[in-house]
């Protein structure tokens, strides 16, 4: 009896001494970014999952890259695959829609809805479909989407299965043309299976599915041609439901119906809706709880939603047995049961992939291994892959700095020799949009020979070259180190001293005329020398050699003065290539598009850190919020969010493969990074609305004067302390 009393006493005292911590998942708001230009979705997914089960409010046009707009008031249905924050459309596969009433062959059985009747949290989405008085709830595992539909009493419960639907763009007829082949089979009255093969941004994409119902349907009605080999659509009726709710489990695979069946069985076969939802919450809590911040509720909502969005992609498209469909549409097997795709590398190499090296290094190993597997199939590293297929979106070969970043930080659980082979081949053997013979001959890409985005591509190639050089040096490959180092300086050949801007140059060495420094270029519209930007946006794109760039301007004073002009100029952008991607402007600085993301930190490297601190504070406080329009541009598979995470911690990877994080300014009084048994604490002493400048920095109690902190220092654990003041520390520039 005494032992029992002691046990109960200890349990009670333990509960009082160690109260249950508030779960960080409760701060995540999946609606952030679903309005404005963020292009995120509110539906259910798990970290890096293959399934993103979410509502669709539209399917055509740039606004519907994620299928959902917070501004809309009608829902078309719920599909199982989505892109997070991109600027192009695809996916939206296997759409289901519950409804009541008469079945007619209409395009969509859409319903009105109100945000007051809508909820979203990690791994969960719910909405009341007002037109039909149906409550729809969604949750997910990595390969399974689960639906729970509560129908009104005494009405026929209908469920649409739509294999035609997809996010297809605005061109007339796209909805009917994008499906190349589709089919479904009624295995029994509670199980259906089938597939779709579509042609879009992801190339020839296969989606196989198995769908299980918690109760048998009574009948079904075709709402498309039953003999057609594509665009199949059918409605299933539950005239006398055994229960008030119809629950649907949908397993998907890129490989086969049997793999979809196995995915469903292993991930959700014995789980009900609430159990799967709880499992998703637990997965998210484990991933998000690696960072703890002392901040206001709104700051926590923005921060943890940003970390959530940073983990939505890339997506592991390998099945539970390790099989996946590769770039050539053949089936391969990953020994680690991971094959990462949705690699938006033009965006994510800047910060998101570096964030993974700190918080999720094992995922980084898997991502690099997937890149190497892609190289083995197609002969070069990924540029922008979706569902395993290369779509060649954007410029550069930015898998290179991602691999270099991992390798140089000691993250090497993959074939390192093959990794270097892939790097070298990708940067020396010509392939689409990578004309190395031209680049090597002229020391830049001539605008008259390389017709589109020649300046931006030259500049971005320089980052890749520098990254490759560092790996070559580390591996003792001296000749390659010298070659890539030389090429990383090609940016100097495009610097126009008459304007102090990067400018297009022809093969005869003359500058391109006329030259409009403010005109936006875009490959999909006007062409031009820049990528989704103008000369002001791209003239700072020398992350690999900031000192060299400063020297081109004639020293720090002139560099800082020119940088001041960037933020002070009129924010108007124009031209035939003007694009919605150029958003979130402060002067000509563009927070809503990635080429500007490192620019505010250049002040620190030029000896004017207080100006970095001013600009970062302005960006964080005016261009991010906890509202649906809380992102100033496309989240781009987590890059906009990764910028916020790094910047609120007080540092940012200007040159992502350097292992250095340049100081900005902390936004929280305290942040703790939990690093596999170690902790790295960032503390901002005296931080307040007034005290937004850094007076001095200490690392582990000792004065610290470098303008950056290294990756190695962070991973050792310890404490970085910023002492904050209300007065900027204005050091004189020596040149």
């Amino acid at each position: 009896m005494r032992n029992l009393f002691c046990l109960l006493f200890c349990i009670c005292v333990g509960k009082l001494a160690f109260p249950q911590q508030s779960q960080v998942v409760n701060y995540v708001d999946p609606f952030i970014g679903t309005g404005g230009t963020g292009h995120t979705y509110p539906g259910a997914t798990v970290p890096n999952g293959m399934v993103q089960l979410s509502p669709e409010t539209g399917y055509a046009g740039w606004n519907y890259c994620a299928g959902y707009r917070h501004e809309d008031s009608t829902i078309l249905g719920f599909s199982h695959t989505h892109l997070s924050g991109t600027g192009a459309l695809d996916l939206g596969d296997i759409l289901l829609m519950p409804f009541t009433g008469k079945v007619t062959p209409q395009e969509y059985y859409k319903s009105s809805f109100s945000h007051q009747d809508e909820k979203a949290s990690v791994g969960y989405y719910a909405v009341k479909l007002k037109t039909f008085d149906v409550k729809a709830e969604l949750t997910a595992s990595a390969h399974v989407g689960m639906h729970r539909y509560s129908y009104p009493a005494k009405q026929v419960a209908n469920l649409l299965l739509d294999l035609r639907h997809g996010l297809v763009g605005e061109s007339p007829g796209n909805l009917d043309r994008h499906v190349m082949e589709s089919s479904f089979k009624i295995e029994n009255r509670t199980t259906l299976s089938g597939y779709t093969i579509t042609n879009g941004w992801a190339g020839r994409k296969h989606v196989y599915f198995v769908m299980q119902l918690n109760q048998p349907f009574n009948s079904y009605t075709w709402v498309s041609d039953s003999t057609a080999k594509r665009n199949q659509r059918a409605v299933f009726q539950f005239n006398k439901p055994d229960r008030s709710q119809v629950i649907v489990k949908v397993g998907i695979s890129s490989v086969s119906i049997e793999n979809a069946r196995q995915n469903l069985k292993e991930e959700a076969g014995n789980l009900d809706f609430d159990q799967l939802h709880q499992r998703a919450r637990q997965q998210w809590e484990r991933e998000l709880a690696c960072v703890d911040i002392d901040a206001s509720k709104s700051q926590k909502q923005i921060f943890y939603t940003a970390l959530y969005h940073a983990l939505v992609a890339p997506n592991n498209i390998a099945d539970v047995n390790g099989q996946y469909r590769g770039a050539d549409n053949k089936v391969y097997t990953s020994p680690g049961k991971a094959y990462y795709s949705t690699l938006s590398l033009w965006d994510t190499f800047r910060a998101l992939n570096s964030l993974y090296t700190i918080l999720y290094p094992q995922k980084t190993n898997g991502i690099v291994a997937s890149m190497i597997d892609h190289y083995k199939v197609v002969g070069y590293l990924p540029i922008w892959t979706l569902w395993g297929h290369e779509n060649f979106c954007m410029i550069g070969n930015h898998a290179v700095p991602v691999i270099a970043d991992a390798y140089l930080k000691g993250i090497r659980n993959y074939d390192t020799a093959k990794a270097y082979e892939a790097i070298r081949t990708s940067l020396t053997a010509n392939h689409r949009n990578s004309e190395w013979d031209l680049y090597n001959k002229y020391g830049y890409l001539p605008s008259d020979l390389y017709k589109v985005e020649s300046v931006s591509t030259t500049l971005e190639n320089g980052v890749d070259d520098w990254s490759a050089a560092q790996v070559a040096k580390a591996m003792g490959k001296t000749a390659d180190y010298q070659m890539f180092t030389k090429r990383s300086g090609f940016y100097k050949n495009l610097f126009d001293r008459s304007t102090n801007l990067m400018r297009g140059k022809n093969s005869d060495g003359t500058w391109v005329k006329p030259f409009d420094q403010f005109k936006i270029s875009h490959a999909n519209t006007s062409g031009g020398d820049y990528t989704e930007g103008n000369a002001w946006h791209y003239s700072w794109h020398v992350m690999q050699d900031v000192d060299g760039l400063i020297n081109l301007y004639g020293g720090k004073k002139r560099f800082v003065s020119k940088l001041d002009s960037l933020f002070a100029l009129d924010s108007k952008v124009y031209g035939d290539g003007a694009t919605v991607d150029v958003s979130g402007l402060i002067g000509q600085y563009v927070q809503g598009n990635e080429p500007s993301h490192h620019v505010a930190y250049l002040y620190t490297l030029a000896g004017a850190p207080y100006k970095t601190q001013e600009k970062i504070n302005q960006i964080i406080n005016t261009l991010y919020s906890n509202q649906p329009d809380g992102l100033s541009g496309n989240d781009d598979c987590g890059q906009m969010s990764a910028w916020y995470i790094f910047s609120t911690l007080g540092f940012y990877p200007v040159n992502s493969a350097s292992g250095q994080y340049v100081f900005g300014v902390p936004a929280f009084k305290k942040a703790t990074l939990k690093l596999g048994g170690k902790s790295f604490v960032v503390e901002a002493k005296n931080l307040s609305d007034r005290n937004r400048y850094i007076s001095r920095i200490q690392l582990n109690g000792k004065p610290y004067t470098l303008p950056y902190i290294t990756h190695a220092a962070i991973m050792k654990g310890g404490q970085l302390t910023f002492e904050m003041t209300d007065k900027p520390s204005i050091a004189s520039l020596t040149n």
Side-chain angles (χ1 to χ4, degrees):
M1 188 71 180
R2 179 184 298 175
N3 290 339
L4 177 59
F5 174 82
C6 291
L7 177 62
L8 292 173
F9 177 82
C10 290
I11 291 173
C12 292
V13 170
K15 287 185 177 180
L16 292 172
F18 304 102
Q20 186 177 9
Q21 293 182 338
S22 174
Q23 292 187 314
V24 296
V25 291
N26 293 328
Y27 293 108
V28 174
D29 182 357
F31 288 116
I32 295 175
T34 59
T37 57
H39 286 185
T40 64
Y41 58 81
T45 190
V46 296
N48 308 106
M50 189 179 188
V51 164
Q52 308 88 35
L53 179 56
S54 192
E56 309 245 324
T57 62
Y59 61 87
W62 185 82
N63 281 338
Y64 294 100
C65 293
Y68 177 95
R69 294 286 296 179
H70 196 266
E71 294 86 347
D72 289 344
S73 59
T74 58
I75 283 177
L76 309 179
F78 308 97
S79 61
H80 291 77
T81 59
H82 290 89
L83 288 160
S84 180
T86 61
L89 293 87
D90 204 340
L91 309 187
D93 300 289
I94 320 297
L95 181 136
L96 299 181
M97 181 62 172
F99 67 99
T100 58
K102 188 177 180 181
V103 178
T104 59
Q106 54 186 290
E107 185 168 305
Y108 284 105
Y109 297 91
K110 61 185 179 181
S111 172
S112 63
F113 76 103
S114 168
H115 294 307
Q116 294 178 342
D117 298 323
E118 189 182 31
K119 296 180 181 179
S121 59
V122 296
Y124 180 78
Y125 173 85
V127 67
K128 184 67 170 292
L129 300 174
K130 295 172 68 175
T131 302
F132 308 118
D133 193 26
V134 173
K135 182 179 180 181
E137 297 173 274
L138 313 175
T139 191
S141 65
H143 302 86
V144 179
M146 192 180 297
H147 312 237
R148 183 162 65 186
Y149 298 134
S150 300
Y151 292 86
K154 299 180 181 179
Q155 291 198 39
V156 174
N158 298 319
L159 180 63
L160 170 71
L161 169 64
D162 188 343
L163 302 187
R164 178 185 67 161
H165 178 78
L167 303 175
V168 296
E170 293 180 294
S171 298
N174 272 4
L175 188 63
D176 291 321
R177 289 194 301 264
H178 84 289
V179 176
M180 304 173 70
E181 185 179 339
S182 69
S183 178
F184 75 87
K185 175 184 177 182
I186 299 173
E187 297 185 5
N188 54 58
R189 289 189 177 270
T190 59
T191 306
L192 290 81
S193 60
Y195 66 91
T196 65
I197 302 175
T198 59
N199 186 31
W201 197 34
R204 186 180 175 91
K205 174 171 61 72
H206 296 65
V207 182
Y208 298 89
F209 71 92
V210 171
M211 188 169 95
Q212 291 183 350
L213 306 165
N214 72 325
Q215 57 183 287
F217 61 85
N218 296 89
S219 60
Y220 69 96
T221 303
W222 285 94
V223 287
S224 64
D225 183 354
S226 62
T227 64
K229 294 184 178 180
R230 60 190 183 94
N231 295 334
Q232 294 180 341
R233 304 168 74 232
V235 174
F236 299 85
Q237 291 93 33
F238 303 83
N239 293 327
K240 296 180 180 179
D242 296 330
R243 294 179 289 277
S244 61
Q245 294 173 332
V246 173
I247 296 174
V248 189
K249 297 178 182 179
V250 181
I252 68 169
S253 166
S254 70
V255 174
S256 67
I257 289 172
E258 289 312 306
N259 275 19
R261 195 186 312 278
Q262 184 180 1
N263 291 342
L264 192 159
K265 180 180 179 181
E266 292 200 17
E267 292 184 357
N270 297 319
L271 300 181
D272 63 23
F273 185 94
D274 294 326
Q275 290 170 328
L276 193 67
H277 172 211
Q278 186 60 30
R279 180 178 288 184
R281 281 182 62 86
Q282 292 169 351
Q283 288 180 262
W284 279 113
E285 182 68 21
R286 284 195 297 269
E287 300 280 17
L288 300 178
C290 63
V291 184
D292 182 59
I293 62 173
D294 180 2
S296 68
K297 180 180 178 180
S298 62
Q299 286 177 316
K300 287 184 177 182
Q301 288 172 328
I302 302 168
F303 183 89
Y304 285 111
T305 303
L307 190 53
Y308 167 84
H309 282 143
L311 286 161
V312 166
N315 305 114
N316 178 12
I317 65 169
D319 293 327
V320 294
N321 63 6
Q323 290 186 327
Y324 65 90
R325 193 172 294 274
D328 57 357
N329 268 323
K330 294 180 181 178
V331 176
Y332 298 88
T333 301
S334 165
K337 297 184 179 181
Y339 186 74
Y340 288 93
S341 195
T342 322
L343 294 171
S344 183
L345 293 166
W346 182 81
D347 306 289
T348 64
F349 91 93
R350 303 166 195 273
L352 182 132
N353 291 103
S354 291
L355 182 68
Y356 273 41
T357 66
I358 298 174
L359 300 179
Y360 314 108
Q362 288 307 313
K363 291 184 192 246
T364 298
N365 275 313
I367 291 167
V368 173
S370 299
M371 291 175 171
I372 296 169
D373 287 339
H374 179 90
Y375 161 75
K376 291 176 182 177
V377 172
V378 302
Y380 47 84
L381 288 166
I383 295 169
W384 210 126
T385 60
L386 178 57
W387 271 64
H389 302 149
E390 183 60 69
N391 60 38
F392 296 98
C393 184
M394 310 311 295
I395 60 173
N397 285 254
H398 293 324
V400 172
V402 173
I403 297 174
D405 186 31
Y407 180 85
L408 295 168
K409 289 174 177 174
I411 301 172
R412 301 178 183 178
N413 189 19
Y414 46 84
D415 186 337
T416 56
K418 185 63 71 173
Y420 184 76
E421 176 190 310
I423 287 173
R424 193 184 193 286
T425 302
S426 298
L427 297 184
T428 56
N430 290 344
H431 52 280
R432 182 172 166 181
N433 298 335
S434 295
E435 298 184 22
W436 303 117
D437 295 341
L438 203 62
Y439 182 66
N440 291 325
K441 178 179 179 180
Y442 292 96
Y444 59 94
L445 291 170
S447 296
D448 56 332
L449 302 179
Y450 194 89
K451 298 292 186 179
V452 179
E453 303 176 353
S454 59
V455 173
S456 293
T457 306
T458 298
L459 296 174
E460 302 227 16
N461 286 347
V463 179
D464 300 337
D465 287 332
W466 185 91
S467 303
Q470 307 319 302
V471 179
K473 182 180 180 180
M475 289 186 170
K477 301 179 184 295
T478 304
D480 282 1
Y481 168 70
Q482 293 172 344
M483 173 191 69
F484 286 125
T485 298
K486 178 182 177 181
R487 288 187 0 178
S488 72
F490 282 178
Y491 71 89
K492 298 172 185 177
N493 298 326
L494 295 182
F495 188 75
D496 174 16
R497 294 187 182 276
S498 69
T499 61
N500 280 347
L501 295 169
M502 297 292 178
R503 183 173 173 184
K505 183 182 286 187
N506 294 312
S507 56
D508 63 2
T510 60
W511 297 113
V512 171
K513 295 180 180 179
F515 174 55
D516 187 339
Q517 57 190 289
F518 296 107
K519 183 178 179 181
I520 302 295
S521 298
H522 194 290
N524 293 333
T525 52
S526 66
D529 290 325
Y530 307 96
T531 300
E532 297 178 4
N534 61 29
W536 277 95
H537 304 154
Y538 254 98
S539 292
W540 319 97
H541 207 283
V542 188
M543 300 96 107
Q544 76 278 13
D545 187 16
V546 176
D547 287 342
L549 182 63
I550 290 171
N551 290 335
L552 286 181
Y553 279 95
K556 292 181 178 179
K557 285 185 178 179
R558 292 182 179 178
F559 179 81
V560 168
S561 177
K562 189 73 170 183
L563 201 51
D564 286 341
S565 298
L566 174 77
F567 288 94
L569 285 165
D570 192 309
S571 294
K572 183 179 180 181
V573 292
Y574 61 92
D576 293 338
T579 170
V580 287
D581 288 307
V582 180
S583 57
L585 279 81
I586 302 174
Q588 283 292 310
Y589 172 86
V590 183
Q591 178 63 24
N593 210 24
E594 279 67 24
S596 290
H597 274 190
H598 69 291
V599 173
Y601 288 90
L602 298 181
Y603 281 120
T604 294
L605 296 176
Y610 74 97
K611 294 200 173 197
T612 291
Q613 294 158 29
E614 290 174 346
K615 296 300 184 292
I616 297 303
N617 269 318
Q618 182 180 4
I619 296 166
I620 286 173
N621 292 319
T622 65
L623 296 177
Y624 288 84
S625 78
N626 61 352
Q627 299 302 306
D629 62 353
L631 295 173
S632 61
N634 295 343
D635 195 48
D636 285 312
C637 296
Q639 169 57 27
M640 282 281 289
S641 292
W643 186 97
Y644 182 87
I645 293 164
F646 269 122
S647 294
T648 54
L649 293 175
F651 43 81
Y652 183 83
V654 168
N655 179 8
S656 61
S658 69
Q660 299 173 354
Y661 305 96
V662 177
F663 288 132
V665 61
F668 312 133
K669 293 180 180 180
K670 188 176 182 181
T672 302
L673 309 183
K674 302 170 187 177
L675 308 172
K678 300 177 183 178
S679 293
F680 185 75
V681 179
V682 181
E683 185 176 9
K685 288 187 175 179
N686 304 316
L687 178 67
S688 68
D689 290 340
R690 279 179 59 88
N691 296 339
R692 290 292 180 178
Y693 293 99
I694 298 170
S695 62
R696 67 172 182 162
I697 303 172
Q698 291 183 317
L699 180 61
N700 298 324
K702 297 180 180 179
Y704 192 86
T705 58
L706 293 175
Y708 58 82
I709 187 168
T710 66
H711 181 81
I714 292 174
M715 300 310 289
K716 285 179 182 177
Q719 180 156 329
L720 178 69
T721 303
F722 297 96
E723 294 195 13
M724 310 301 295
T725 179
D726 62 345
K727 296 180 177 61
S729 178
I730 304 176
S732 60
L733 302 179
T734 58
N735 61 1

